């Protein structure tokens, strides 16, 4: 971001999923640290009380002397009210409840299918998509009606299909999908520079990368620091840590942190394919054949990452609800700290406060070669005033591209199945996923059971 000391006031942000105790608080923290912006954030959530509690928390934060950015937070009862007059729309929702997520993640385990996340691909990702797409169809229609000129920033998973649905329904929409997984890989490269070249404290933003792929299955074919090609060093780094992994100062952290890993999957994929896999191990593993990294819990343990249990998410939610009450009542002070996300930097760039280059999910208009036009891909893009221009990023080598294309076409099939309420088409995508390593008969049984567990979100399906 280039320095710019202008101040933009009266920005209108609609936050869809405004009762969130994660992303919403992160947005508040980042806005509080940004003195060049101010305005109103309208919080809309199916749980109005949760959104209203967040409004109280946000307004308390904005009143503090250490909050550089001054914002008014307002819970609103309707999507129309949230969207009308908005300059930016941020979407971060949980499609369904943890009950549906429990089925997505854990029912396949009865059939020997293990998923580390279950929100993007695999059987869990497919079923989650089927209940998410109808929600995004309605969001796209509402945006077209009430906020056609606003910029849409999506954080919800499955990222690819959420973004793809917005463009399918409203082709002129100005929407981007944002994900921080590539940032984690840049941080890993910074740690590598410290260990291998004795260059400490490198800011991950100073590591320049070329991004190719789809969300959670991204790859780097270029990486440099101050003109230094990092691939030769990474080759040595991956070889050095391929057996035991790399965790820096947090050795063993992956065993008690559901979101951590020792990067062994990432190193293994580099040694197999020669490019840097640029997502967390938990996500990368789900795109590969089940026998590679997710054969069973013992295999997962050997690769030093975790199966994120939904029971943990439920307990975490209870803890966050309790924290929410404390924050709203002033019993606990909101901690202002950087999230590491780039959403506010994107907003500033779109308002003309300096250009940035970062990775985003957008329909392929030629920025990624040997890939269907219109399919949502993740590459770098240049952000400027009211403009996001994807960068021509080249193409993946055939051996990686074949893996990526399988998922692209599966996701396209799921989209069409959802739009047409075609259960047979949905099953074809489900059974074609590389994690579904069971007989077609077992796959059909599992599919029907999982679909039944999410049927309340598919009211028009037969």
């Amino acid at each position: 971001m280039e320095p710019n000391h202008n101040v933009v006031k009266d920005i209108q942000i609609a936050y869809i999923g405004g009762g969130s105790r994660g992303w919403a608080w992160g947005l508040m923290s980042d806005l509080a640290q940004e003195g060049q912006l101010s305005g109103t954030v309208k919080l809309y959530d199916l749980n109005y009380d949760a959104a209203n509690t967040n409004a109280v928390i946000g307004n308390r934060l904005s009143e503090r002397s250490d909050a550089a950015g001054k914002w008014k937070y307002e819970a609103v009862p309707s999507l129309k009210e949230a969207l009308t007059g908005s300059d930016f729309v941020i979407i971060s929702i949980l499609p369904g409840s943890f009950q549906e997520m429990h089925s997505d993640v854990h029912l396949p385990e009865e059939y020997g299918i293990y998923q580390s996340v279950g929100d993007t691909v695999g059987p869990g990702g497919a079923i989650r998509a089927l209940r998410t797409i109808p929600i995004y169809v309605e969001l796209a229609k509402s945006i077209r009606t009430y906020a056609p000129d606003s910029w849409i920033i999506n954080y919800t998973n499955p990222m690819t299909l959420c973004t793809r649905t917005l463009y399918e329904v409203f082709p002129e929409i100005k929407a981007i999908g944002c994900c921080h997984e590539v940032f984690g890989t840049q941080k890993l490269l910074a740690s590598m520079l410290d260990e291998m070249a004795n260059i400490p404290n490198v800011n991950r933003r100073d590591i320049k990368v070329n991004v190719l792929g789809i969300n959670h299955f991204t790859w780097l074919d270029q990486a440099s620091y101050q003109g230094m090609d990092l691939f030769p060093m990474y080759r040595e780094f991956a070889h050095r840590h391929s057996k035991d992994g790399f965790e820096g100062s947090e050795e063993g952290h992956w065993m008690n942190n559901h979101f951590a890993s020792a990067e062994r999957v990432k190193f293994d994929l580099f040694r197999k394919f020669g490019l840097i896999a640029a997502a967390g191990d938990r996500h990368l593993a789900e795109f590969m054949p089940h026998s590679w990294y997710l054969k069973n819990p013992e295999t997962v343990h050997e690769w030093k990452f975790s199966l994120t249990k939904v029971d943990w998410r439920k307990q975490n939610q209870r803890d966050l609800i309790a924290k929410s009450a404390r924050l709203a009542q002033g019993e606990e002070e909101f901690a202002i700290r950087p999230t590491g996300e780039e959403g506010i930097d994107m907003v500033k760039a779109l308002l003309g406060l300096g250009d940035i280059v970062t990775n985003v999910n957008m329909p392929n208009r030629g920025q990624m070669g040997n890939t269907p036009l219109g399919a949502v891909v993740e590459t770098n893009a240049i952000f400027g005033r009211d403009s996001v221009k994807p960068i021509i990023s080249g193409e993946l080598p055939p051996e990686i591209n074949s893996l990526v294309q399988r998922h692209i076409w599966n996701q396209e099939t799921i989209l069409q199945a959802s739009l047409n309420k075609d259960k047979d088409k949905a099953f074809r995508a489900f059974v074609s996923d590389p994690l579904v390593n069971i007989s077609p008969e077992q796959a059909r049984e599992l599919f029907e059971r999982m679909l039944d567990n999410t049927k309340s979100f598919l009211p028009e399906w037969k």
Side-chain angles (χ1 to χ4, degrees):
M1 173 75 69
E2 297 174 2
N4 190 311
H5 303 293
N6 293 331
V7 177
V8 182
K9 300 180 179 180
D10 199 29
I11 301 162
Q12 301 295 307
I13 298 177
Y15 193 103
I16 312 305
S20 153
R21 288 105 184 168
W23 286 104
W25 293 352
L27 174 70
M28 292 175 186
S29 185
D30 285 344
L31 286 175
Q33 296 168 79
E34 181 48 68
Q36 287 187 265
L37 307 176
S38 65
T40 300
V41 180
K42 292 183 178 179
L43 303 167
Y44 171 73
D45 198 286
L46 296 178
N47 183 343
Y48 177 81
D49 289 341
N52 193 54
T53 299
N54 272 348
V56 172
I57 293 170
N59 288 324
R60 287 181 66 93
L61 173 62
S62 194
E63 291 170 359
R64 284 166 43 179
S65 60
D66 60 342
K70 301 300 183 182
W71 292 81
K72 176 186 176 183
Y73 291 87
E74 178 185 354
V76 295
S78 70
L79 186 58
K80 175 183 177 180
E81 193 170 347
L83 293 173
T84 301
S86 64
D87 301 301
F88 299 92
V89 179
I90 297 173
I91 310 175
S92 176
I93 65 171
L94 175 64
S97 69
F98 285 134
Q99 179 178 338
E100 285 78 27
M101 187 185 290
H102 195 279
S103 173
D104 292 347
V105 175
H106 296 301
L107 186 56
E109 292 173 357
E110 295 181 21
Y111 296 78
I113 300 172
Y114 294 91
Q115 301 166 104
S116 33
V117 189
D119 70 356
T120 300
V121 291
I127 300 301
R128 180 181 172 109
L130 291 176
R131 67 173 177 271
T132 307
I133 290 169
I135 298 170
Y136 270 69
V137 168
E138 294 308 313
L139 285 174
K141 290 178 179 177
S142 295
I143 291 165
R144 183 174 58 196
T145 301
Y146 302 116
D149 297 323
S150 62
W151 279 98
I152 318 302
I153 301 175
N154 178 66
Y155 287 107
T156 304
N157 290 327
M159 173 65 69
T160 300
L161 276 168
C162 290
T163 309
R164 177 73 178 83
T165 303
L166 293 174
Y167 277 93
E168 178 74 10
V169 176
F170 180 19
E172 293 79 29
I173 199 169
K174 298 189 295 187
I176 54 174
C178 298
C179 180
H180 57 216
E181 293 292 319
V182 170
F183 305 166
T185 303
Q186 289 173 302
K187 291 176 182 176
L188 177 64
L189 293 173
S191 296
M192 176 191 74
L193 282 165
D194 187 6
E195 178 184 306
M196 306 287 287
N198 196 28
I199 306 175
N201 304 317
V202 173
N203 188 316
R204 66 105 186 148
R205 295 172 187 252
D206 293 329
I207 294 177
K208 306 305 179 184
V209 297
N210 187 57
V211 182
L212 291 157
I214 56 177
N215 185 239
H216 294 154
F217 200 35
T218 41
W219 299 79
L220 310 180
D221 65 354
Q222 297 175 27
S224 63
Y225 173 68
Q226 295 184 351
M228 180 198 319
D229 180 6
L230 297 182
F231 265 67
M233 189 184 299
Y234 190 82
R235 185 172 293 107
E236 183 182 346
F237 184 64
H239 178 76
R240 175 185 293 186
H241 294 289
S242 62
K243 182 178 179 181
D244 296 322
F246 175 83
E247 299 171 86
S249 62
E250 298 185 328
E251 187 173 352
H253 200 49
W254 65 273
M255 289 188 283
N256 51 39
N257 181 336
H258 290 288
F259 304 105
S261 79
E263 313 288 3
R264 289 199 66 216
V265 172
K266 196 180 274 85
F267 296 149
D268 188 59
L269 289 173
F270 179 80
R271 298 183 76 191
K272 282 181 166 67
F273 296 105
L275 295 191
I276 300 174
D281 282 11
R282 296 161 59 253
H283 285 298
L284 293 169
E286 292 190 324
F287 286 82
M288 309 307 297
H290 88 286
S291 61
W292 285 28
Y293 311 113
L294 286 164
K295 183 177 181 180
N296 51 43
E298 293 74 27
T299 302
V300 172
H301 191 269
E302 289 172 6
W303 285 101
K304 294 189 176 183
F305 64 101
S306 297
L307 302 173
T308 308
K309 298 183 182 300
V310 177
D311 283 345
W312 176 86
R313 294 184 187 272
K314 293 177 180 177
Q315 180 58 53
N316 186 58
Q317 184 187 51
R318 289 190 287 269
D319 294 342
L320 289 174
I321 290 172
K323 180 176 181 177
S324 177
R326 296 194 302 272
L327 290 170
Q329 293 164 12
E331 297 173 359
E332 180 178 335
E333 185 170 76
F334 191 106
I336 300 177
R337 58 172 65 96
T339 64
E341 301 293 335
E342 292 190 345
I344 303 308
D345 290 337
M346 294 176 184
V347 168
K348 289 176 64 178
L350 291 167
L351 291 169
L353 300 178
D355 298 346
I356 64 167
V357 175
T358 190
N359 56 292
V360 292
N361 292 268
M362 296 184 73
N364 186 31
R365 305 275 163 74
Q367 66 265 35
M368 187 165 142
N370 203 14
T371 299
L373 295 177
V376 168
V377 296
E378 187 165 340
T379 66
N380 285 336
I382 301 174
F383 284 66
R385 181 183 292 276
D386 200 32
S387 170
V388 180
K389 296 179 180 178
I391 293 172
I392 300 297
S393 302
E395 61 184 55
L396 290 165
E399 60 273 25
I400 298 178
N401 197 42
S402 65
L403 299 171
V404 173
Q405 294 301 319
R406 178 177 184 176
H407 290 286
I408 285 177
W409 286 111
N410 260 12
Q411 289 169 332
E412 287 293 311
T413 302
I414 290 169
L415 174 66
Q416 295 306 320
S418 176
L419 295 175
N420 296 299
K421 302 171 182 60
D422 187 334
K423 189 167 75 170
D424 288 337
K425 185 180 284 288
F427 175 69
R428 292 182 199 122
F430 182 93
V431 75
S432 297
D433 190 280
L435 288 186
V436 182
N437 59 305
I438 52 181
S439 71
E441 293 75 22
Q442 288 179 305
R444 172 63 78 170
E445 179 183 286
L446 173 60
F447 174 75
E448 296 286 355
R449 291 178 65 191
M450 295 180 73
L451 207 61
D452 188 61
N453 288 341
T454 204
K455 64 184 177 183
S456 62
F457 291 86
L458 306 172
E460 298 178 19
W461 285 54
K462 295 182 180 178

